[in-house]
């Protein structure tokens, strides 16, 4: 932990750490939802959809890494037990029990929309109280916005495909 780097966050450190650990929990659940979804998905355009799901899984894992590095930088501890992911995450987890492409895409689109809300309110609340965390949250938000768009494009293509 860098003392000056932590000092500039001042009295907000505990709240920033709380928000970061919530985001950390959500990223792991998002990672697993994509990863397992890519394993079980079935239906038209499967190959294109698997490729996108795996790309997003890798992005979510990278986000968990970015967030945990910031937690450690601020002197906190990333959640150490996966059980805590469900207690801390606001977005939760949608199990791909129906493996049909449309259902999996719908679940992941909802997940991305929730992630966009999480990071947007995170950014609004933190603002320039902690510019380093702010910058990380903005970078992640950019990815989540891209994820939503990627999935919605696939969903639209799939709509056309299913009509034929
Ligand atoms: Fe993410
Ligand atoms: Fe995402
Ligand atoms: Mg993508």
């Amino acid at each position: 932990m860098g003392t000056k780097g932590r000092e500039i966050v001042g009295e907000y450190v505990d709240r920033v750490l709380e928000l970061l650990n919530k985001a950390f929990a959500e990223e792991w659940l998002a990672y697993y939802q994509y990863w397992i979804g890519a394993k079980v998905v079935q239906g038209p355009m499967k190959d294109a959809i698997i490729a996108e799901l795996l790309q997003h899984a890798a992005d979510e894992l990278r986000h968990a890494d970015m967030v945990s590095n910031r937690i450690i930088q601020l002197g906190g501890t990333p959640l150490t037990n996966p059980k805590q992911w469900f207690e801390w995450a606001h977005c939760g987890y949608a199990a791909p029990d129906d493996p049909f492409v449309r259902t999996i895409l719908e679940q992941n689109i909802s997940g991305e929309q929730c992630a966009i809300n999480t990071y947007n309110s995170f950014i609004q609340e933190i603002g320039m109280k902690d510019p380093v965390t702010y910058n990380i949250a903005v970078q992640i938000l950019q990815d989540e916005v891209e994820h939503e768009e990627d999935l919605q494009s696939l969903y639209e293509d799939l709509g056309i495909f299913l009509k034929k």
Side-chain angles (χ1 to χ4, degrees):
M1 167 179 55
T3 48
K4 191 68 185 174
R6 190 175 196 268
E7 190 193 302
I8 57 168
V9 184
E11 60 189 293
Y12 302 108
V13 152
D14 289 346
R15 178 60 179 156
V16 172
L17 283 170
E18 188 184 0
L19 290 169
L20 283 167
N21 254 322
K22 283 178 180 295
F24 180 70
E26 285 180 16
E27 293 296 352
W28 271 107
L29 292 175
Y31 164 73
Y32 190 70
Q33 189 176 313
Y34 274 122
W35 184 88
I36 194 69
K39 293 284 173 200
V40 300
V41 68
Q42 284 170 20
M45 291 177 54
K46 196 177 95 155
D47 290 349
I49 290 167
I50 289 173
E52 197 68 53
L53 297 178
L54 288 176
Q55 215 181 75
H56 289 195
D59 287 340
E60 309 307 2
L61 193 56
R62 186 170 48 80
H63 294 163
D65 190 66
M66 291 163 75
V67 170
S68 63
N69 287 339
R70 183 61 182 150
I71 291 171
I72 289 164
Q73 232 174 30
L74 286 172
T77 308
L79 301 175
T80 52
N81 193 324
K83 269 199 243 171
Q84 296 170 295
W85 297 346
F86 289 95
E87 295 154 22
W88 284 67
H90 155 73
C91 291
Y93 177 79
D97 291 326
D98 172 0
F100 190 53
V101 282
R102 188 198 309 231
T103 316
I104 297 225
L105 284 177
E106 283 169 354
Q107 288 175 327
N108 286 308
I109 289 167
S110 302
E112 291 298 342
Q113 289 173 341
C114 189
I116 289 169
N117 274 330
T118 293
Y119 284 104
N120 189 49
S121 51
F122 194 145
I123 288 161
Q124 301 303 324
E125 182 177 337
I126 299 303
M128 286 301 132
K129 291 170 196 140
D130 177 357
V132 177
T133 299
Y134 178 92
N135 180 48
I136 291 165
V138 169
Q139 287 179 52
I140 297 177
L141 178 62
Q142 283 175 340
D143 289 341
E144 310 303 12
V145 165
E146 193 183 307
H147 287 171
E148 183 204 28
E149 211 250 328
D150 289 343
L151 297 178
Q152 284 181 334
S153 303
L154 281 170
Y155 194 79
E156 280 164 30
D157 294 351
L158 187 67
I160 294 160
F161 194 94
L162 288 171
K163 265 179 230 159
K164 278 182 190 166

